[in-house]
Amino acid sequence: MVLMSPSMPSGGTFTREDWALTCDLCREHDLTLVYDAAMEALLYDGRELVHPLQFEGMAERTFVVGSLSKEHRMIGWRVGWVAGPPEAITTIRQVAVYNTTMPVALARFAAAAVLRGDQGHVAECVAELQRRRDLLLEELPGWPLVSPGGGWSLLIDVESIGFTPAEASRILLEEAAIAATPMPGWGGPVAARCLRFVYSAEPLERLAEVPDRVAGTALAAAAARS
Ligand SMILES: Cc1ncc(COP(=O)(O)O)c(C=O)c1O
């Protein structure tokens, strides 16, 4: 089972109860859990970070995959890690060495400095991302936004207002100069209804322009009617 919380791109988060159920399932069916921890600290509204390793019997069946890209905003540095049961990690290390050799030394030194350094920037980042989410939710009333509990993006269920994600994406690009990715292919029938807004690199001032940009589009008209 491969899981991520907060998840990309929905920003969906797992509660303690969700994790308890997941861990029960893993134990009952003898499953291995691959936990993508890339965004685990990017949690809004004071949500607690619940880790699958807190549950009994999970250490021997869980692989934690982490990265500098999200919490440390170091996309492009290509440094990540895997933690898991020692026997398997030996094999994973060999696979990594033979496939990628290793991250360049410069990136590894930067990673060590960042991971050993003050982590206060993560809370500042979370607060800023939460302000961006809140602004989007506030300035697009009626739009079928799926409110994220963390992460740095959100989904819009455009099918619920009569558009395919591809149509909605084209309208936003051509008429509002907003690039939003259609989600078909990202995860079954739910993703296939949605468009993605990524606000990780959009300061509040730019997000504040969104209502003016979308005004007059068929999407805004449909959202107003909904
Ligand atoms: C689901 C998911 N996990 C983890 C990552 C981080 O990957 P990387 O460290 O290769 O940037 C990404 C990056 O976009 C992602 O989409």
Side-chain angles (χ1 to χ4, degrees):
M1 184 145 30
V2 181
L3 290 171
M4 183 181 198
S5 176
S7 185
M8 289 189 70
S10 67
T13 53
F14 268 38
T15 61
R16 184 168 290 280
E17 292 69 38
D18 296 330
W19 276 125
L21 180 63
T22 304
C23 297
D24 285 349
L25 284 173
C26 287
R27 282 188 304 263
E28 268 167 47
H29 298 278
D30 195 21
L31 300 177
T32 295
L33 174 67
V34 177
Y35 167 53
D36 185 334
M39 287 197 159
E40 68 177 3
L42 303 184
L43 288 164
Y44 305 155
D45 310 312
R47 281 177 171 75
E48 69 166 336
L49 198 177
V50 186
H51 200 285
L53 291 186
Q54 291 166 350
F55 294 84
E56 207 188 320
M58 291 307 290
E60 51 269 42
R61 61 173 70 252
T62 302
F63 291 91
V64 180
V65 185
S67 157
L68 290 178
S69 294
K70 305 295 191 291
E71 287 170 15
H72 301 279
R73 280 88 67 212
M74 290 174 70
I75 287 181
W77 287 76
R78 317 313 312 152
V79 181
W81 51 89
V82 182
E87 334 63 79
I89 290 296
T90 305
T91 313
I92 289 174
R93 190 183 294 127
Q94 282 164 356
V95 171
V97 164
Y98 285 107
N99 280 286
T100 62
T101 313
M102 60 185 74
V104 292
L106 186 67
R108 282 185 285 139
F109 279 103
V114 166
L115 292 173
R116 290 189 181 123
D118 180 2
Q119 300 298 301
H121 69 94
V122 180
E124 286 166 29
C125 168
V126 170
E128 173 61 20
L129 290 168
Q130 190 174 315
R131 283 192 287 273
R132 294 179 189 181
R133 176 207 59 177
D134 290 345
L135 180 61
L136 278 169
L137 294 179
E138 186 190 307
E139 67 186 6
L140 294 173
W143 285 61
L145 305 184
V146 184
S147 180
W152 65 26
S153 55
L154 58 74
L155 296 180
I156 311 171
D157 179 4
V158 288
E159 202 162 289
S160 70
I161 54 170
F163 294 85
T164 66
E167 275 167 357
S169 174
R170 187 190 53 73
I171 291 170
L172 287 174
L173 191 62
E174 291 179 359
E175 301 176 28
I178 292 173
T181 314
M183 289 288 101
W186 278 61
V190 176
R193 306 172 57 88
C194 295
L195 199 62
R196 176 185 72 176
F197 270 4
V198 179
Y199 45 87
S200 52
E202 299 293 346
L204 290 167
E205 308 79 66
R206 265 167 67 85
L207 291 177
E209 296 170 7
V210 169
D212 282 347
R213 289 199 192 199
V214 299
T217 64
L219 275 168
R225 280 196 302 273
S226 71

